[in-house]
């Protein structure tokens, strides 16, 4: 299986976003990929439950906003001393779903555009035929100002960048729940450039905002 992961989509993914750029409390600043954290013998390992895990996305342009989901296909998370030690998430980019539109109201067309399955629009956004998955790999977690900050390498369209975002984690001997706060990524850092004013000069008000707002929700069982 090809990897391109949010793991936590990821992927990911994702897609359209806020009409004018505005400051976000949890706006990420993607950096160069870092060394992935490894599982130790003292850690507790949880296998991700795909049917209970998802990524919610939101994006906008001057004419409105759209919301949707992306499925997390598989993954693992390990805990040591109450903190996330390691983990990875495989994101199914073919699962990109638009939730604010109904069938017959443009839902299918927008999903096809985002996936790149519409003829002539293959690489406008995520080009799922060439990049069917996204991938997220944990590099570290730390307490900062009363919050747990999770960092990891996010791979979309074959481009790997390190991002950080706040999460809450609840775990016991049998299960784990990991939920992120809402955070944003700049899609152009993963070569998702369609309609970006930071890339193209002649768009006027016909642009799509660079930021994608994401919320990651993961549940797993001890393996």
């Amino acid at each position: 299986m090809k990897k391109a992961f949010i793991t936590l989509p990821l992927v990911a993914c994702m897609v359209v976003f806020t009409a004018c750029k505005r400051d976000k409390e949890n706006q990420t600043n993607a950096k160069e990929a870092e060394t992935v954290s490894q599982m130790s013998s003292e850690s507790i390992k949880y296998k991700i439950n795909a049917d209970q895990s998802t990524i919610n996305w939101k994006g906008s342009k001057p004419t409105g906003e759209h919301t949707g989901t992306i499925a997390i296909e598989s993954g693992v998370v390990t805990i040591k001393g109450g903190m996330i030690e390691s983990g990875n998430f495989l994101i199914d980019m073919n699962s990109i779903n638009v939730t604010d539109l109904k069938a017959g109201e443009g839902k299918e067309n927008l999903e096809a555009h985002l996936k790149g399955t519409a003829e002539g629009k293959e690489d406008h956004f995520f080009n799922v035929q060439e990049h069917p998955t996204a991938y997220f790999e944990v590099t570290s977690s730390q307490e900062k100002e009363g919050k747990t900050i999770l960092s990891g390498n996010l791979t979309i369209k074959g481009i790997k960048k390190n991002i950080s975002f706040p999460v809450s984690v609840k775990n016991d001997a049998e299960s784990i729940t990991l939920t992120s706060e809402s955070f944003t990524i700049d899609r152009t850092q993963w070569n998702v450039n369609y309609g970006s004013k930071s890339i193209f000069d002649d768009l006027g008000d016909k642009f799509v905002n660079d930021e994608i707002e994401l919320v990651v929700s993961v549940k797993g069982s001890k393996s």
Side-chain angles (χ1 to χ4, degrees):
M1 178 179 292
K2 291 184 179 179
K3 286 187 176 181
F5 220 44
I6 183 166
T7 249
L8 260 269
L10 89 200
V11 123
C13 200
M14 284 169 241
V15 152
V16 219
F17 332 136
T18 293
C20 32
K21 283 191 176 180
R22 56 178 183 268
D23 290 338
K24 301 278 187 179
E25 180 181 358
N26 294 320
Q27 185 164 358
T28 62
N29 179 24
K31 304 175 182 178
E32 292 302 311
E34 298 180 2
T35 302
V36 175
S37 179
Q38 300 297 316
M39 176 182 176
S40 66
S41 59
E42 298 86 5
S43 60
I44 305 173
K45 182 179 179 181
Y46 300 89
K47 182 179 179 181
I48 299 307
N49 300 325
D51 59 345
Q52 297 178 292
S53 303
T54 192
I55 298 168
N56 290 279
W57 59 261
K58 180 168 69 174
S60 64
K61 54 185 179 179
T63 54
E65 70 176 25
H66 293 291
T67 59
T69 60
I70 305 174
I72 296 176
E73 183 176 310
S74 62
V76 296
V77 177
T78 68
I79 298 291
K80 180 181 178 182
M83 294 291 291
I84 299 170
E85 180 183 41
S86 65
N88 60 74
F89 308 87
L90 185 67
I91 301 164
D92 179 10
M93 299 304 288
N94 279 287
S95 73
I96 291 173
N97 177 41
V98 175
T99 57
D100 64 293
L101 298 175
K102 296 180 180 179
E105 295 180 346
K107 173 181 171 69
E108 298 88 349
N109 288 340
L110 179 54
E111 289 174 349
H113 193 185
L114 295 173
K115 294 177 186 179
T117 54
E119 186 176 356
K121 300 178 180 180
E122 289 80 3
D123 206 37
H124 282 190
F125 287 100
F126 297 102
N127 197 346
V128 301
Q129 292 182 337
E130 290 191 14
H131 306 284
T133 58
Y135 195 63
F136 181 84
E137 301 171 285
V138 173
T139 56
S140 68
S141 67
Q142 60 181 322
E143 291 294 325
K144 185 177 181 181
E145 298 178 351
K147 294 184 178 182
T148 298
I149 306 300
L150 182 66
S151 298
N153 297 329
L154 173 61
T155 304
I156 301 174
K157 296 179 72 174
I159 298 172
K160 184 186 294 186
K161 297 284 187 178
N162 192 268
I163 63 171
S164 300
F165 50 90
V167 298
S168 62
V169 181
K170 297 179 181 179
N171 72 290
D172 55 31
E174 299 300 327
S175 64
I176 187 171
T177 299
L178 183 154
T179 306
S180 78
E181 293 185 15
S182 175
F183 67 98
T184 64
I185 62 172
D186 179 348
R187 62 190 173 93
T188 63
Q189 294 183 302
W190 288 267
N191 199 31
V192 183
N193 295 332
Y194 179 81
S196 169
K197 287 183 72 175
S198 64
I199 303 296
F200 304 103
D201 297 327
D202 57 351
L203 297 175
D205 62 356
K206 298 183 183 299
F207 66 90
V208 177
N209 198 46
D210 291 349
E211 283 74 26
I212 304 173
E213 186 175 338
L214 305 174
V215 175
V216 178
S217 178
V218 172
K219 291 188 177 183
S221 302
K222 186 177 178 181
S223 61

